[in-house]
């Protein structure tokens, strides 16, 4: 197999190659939350995917080295929040290691099944965890949607080239 004319020089698979390629892939931004033994946990995710309409199911990836993993590994329910372009600071807080994610700056409440539900998001779901599938240094969590609210206002927040962006027309 040879590279087609006009293509760059192919590189062998590596973590750096994967990161470089996916920096070019624009993705919606979500925050996943759960109730942990020591309180609420959460993290920013760009790997959220709709999996099935019947039954309604979603999936997301989570690193097993992350601070939220122990709670997500043990819980039966998670919250899924679709962020709006006005929530770049919230996305950054939940993405930053060591941040006080549920501190005074984060507006949230305890929702159904004890799941932390963030205020002001475009949409949210509460889901029952159906499976945690090993995938390298991550797990793919499959979760069945139980209930939610799609009525938030605004435009979606996107992640591209290592930064948060609003959607342009």
């Amino acid at each position: 197999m040879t590279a087609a004319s006009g293509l760059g020089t192919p590189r062998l698979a590596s973590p750096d190659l994967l990161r470089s390629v996916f920096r070019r892939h624009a993705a919606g931004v979500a925050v996943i939350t759960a109730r942990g033994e020591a309180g609420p946990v959460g993290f920013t995710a760009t790997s959220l995917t709709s999996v099935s309409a019947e039954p309604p199911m979603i999936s997301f990836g989570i690193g097993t080295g992350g601070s939220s993993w122990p709670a997500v590994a043990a819980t039966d329910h998670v919250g899924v929040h679709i962020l709006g372009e006005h929530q770049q600071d919230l996305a950054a807080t939940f993405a930053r290691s060591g941040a006080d994610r549920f501190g005074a700056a984060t507006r949230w409440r305890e929702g159904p099944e004890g799941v932390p539900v963030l205020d002001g998001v475009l949409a949210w779901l509460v889901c029952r965890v159906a499976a945690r599938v090993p995938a390298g240094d991550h797990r793919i969590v499959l979760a069945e949607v139980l209930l939610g609210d799609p009525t938030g206002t605004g435009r979606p927040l996107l992640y591209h080239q290592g930064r948060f962006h609003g959607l342009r027309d």
Side-chain angles (χ1 to χ4, degrees), residues 48-75:
L48 181 65
T49 304
S50 172
V51 173
S52 169
E54 191 59 47
M57 293 188 83
I58 58 95
S59 71
F60 60 87
I62 179 172
T64 57
S67 62
S68 297
W69 169 242
V72 173
T75 193

Side-chain angles (χ1 to χ4, degrees), residues 35-110:
R35 173 66 62 186
E37 284 186 17
V41 302
F43 64 97
T44 300
T46 57
S47 60
L48 181 65
T49 304
S50 172
V51 173
S52 169
E54 191 59 47
M57 293 188 83
I58 58 95
S59 71
F60 60 87
I62 179 172
T64 57
S67 62
S68 297
W69 169 242
V72 173
T75 193
D76 291 329
H77 297 90
V78 295
V80 176
H81 307 84
I82 307 300
L83 300 191
E85 63 186 2
H86 63 286
Q87 296 178 303
Q88 290 186 22
D89 290 343
L90 184 66
T93 296
F94 277 84
R96 192 170 38 254
S97 180
D100 184 5
R101 296 173 179 162
F102 289 90
T106 302
R107 295 182 358 244
W108 66 282
R109 66 191 180 286
E110 185 171 314

Side-chain angles (χ1 to χ4, degrees), residues 118-155:
L118 303 176
D119 293 336
V121 297
L122 297 186
W124 60 267
L125 300 168
V126 170
C127 304
R128 179 180 27 249
V129 175
R132 296 168 189 88
V133 181
D137 61 356
H138 279 60
R139 295 296 181 269
I140 304 302
V141 177
L142 295 167
E144 184 175 357
V145 176
L146 300 178
L147 56 95
D149 181 359
T151 62
T153 59
R155 294 162 55 104

